[in-house]
Amino acid sequence: MDVVDTKEFAGYLNMKNLKDLPRPFLKWAGSKKQLLTPIKEKMNFALDKYHYNVLVDGFLGSGAVTFMMINEFGDRVEEILANDCNADLVNCFKVVKKNIKGLISRLKLLEAEFRNTKFGEEFYKKVRAEFNDRVACRASVDRAANFIFLNHT
């Protein structure tokens, strides 16, 4: 398992105002998005009572809880960590943190090819086959772009 240092991730995004706060960019089965209010209340209570220095989201998924922790508690703790057993998911978040421009460039290419292809289903299958072939799709930016493309298509 790998860990994403989300405070560094949030700092990298250089948030200037509320509309720039990080939000989930993936659709994810089992998302905790609808549970954010009670989770936030319990975390707030725990922080007030126990004064934790580190918060951990052990099930990253779409990042809904992680981003809520950054937005709500980022200034109250020293570290916020996110983890998941899905290596491709963790890679995706790391690429967003480290190489957002390369990722956006690759996603634009995928989108353009998908829109210009007469048979979108065939292109989707081609991207899926490439993604599933770990040798052909080794580069972390390519894997992340394909992961996002497949997640949204």
Side-chain angles (χ1 to χ4, degrees):
M1 282 195 262
D2 214 345
V3 176
V4 178
D5 181 343
T6 53
K7 276 203 132 177
E8 183 183 334
F9 181 78
Y12 172 79
L13 293 175
N14 193 16
M15 299 173 291
K16 295 179 185 122
N17 60 43
L18 285 177
K19 71 177 183 163
D20 292 331
L21 291 175
R23 288 185 291 271
F25 56 90
L26 294 169
K27 299 182 279 184
W28 206 256
S31 174
K32 298 173 283 299
K33 189 176 180 180
Q34 277 97 19
L35 301 172
L36 289 180
T37 299
I39 291 171
K40 183 173 25 174
E41 290 169 359
K42 291 189 184 324
M43 291 181 88
N44 196 35
F45 173 80
L47 283 171
D48 288 344
K49 186 171 182 178
Y50 301 109
H51 310 290
Y52 293 116
N53 291 324
V54 177
L55 296 178
V56 178
D57 181 358
F59 304 96
L60 180 58
S62 71
V65 171
T66 300
F67 291 132
M68 179 273 295
M69 290 190 308
I70 292 169
N71 297 336
E72 297 292 328
F73 307 116
D75 59 341
R76 293 177 58 188
V77 296
E78 292 175 21
E79 197 168 22
I80 298 173
L81 301 175
N83 194 6
D84 203 284
C85 62
N86 184 327
D88 289 315
L89 177 67
V90 172
N91 173 65
C92 188
F93 276 89
K94 284 185 170 187
V95 169
V96 166
K97 180 178 100 175
K98 293 178 181 175
N99 191 0
I100 191 70
K101 288 181 182 177
L103 178 62
I104 289 170
S105 175
R106 177 74 174 116
L107 284 168
K108 285 181 178 178
L109 290 172
L110 284 170
E111 180 185 25
E113 194 169 345
F114 179 73
R115 292 189 187 284
N116 292 329
T117 303
K118 198 174 194 178
F119 303 102
E121 184 178 344
E122 293 303 315
F123 181 72
Y124 175 88
K125 288 178 181 178
K126 176 185 158 211
V127 172
R128 185 179 64 198
E130 181 182 306
F131 179 79
N132 289 334
D133 181 356
R134 294 196 173 269
V135 175
C137 189
R138 249 194 191 143
S140 59
V141 172
D142 291 340
R143 283 201 73 73
N146 288 359
F147 187 80
I148 293 169
F149 174 82
L150 294 170
N151 180 263
H152 282 271
T153 306

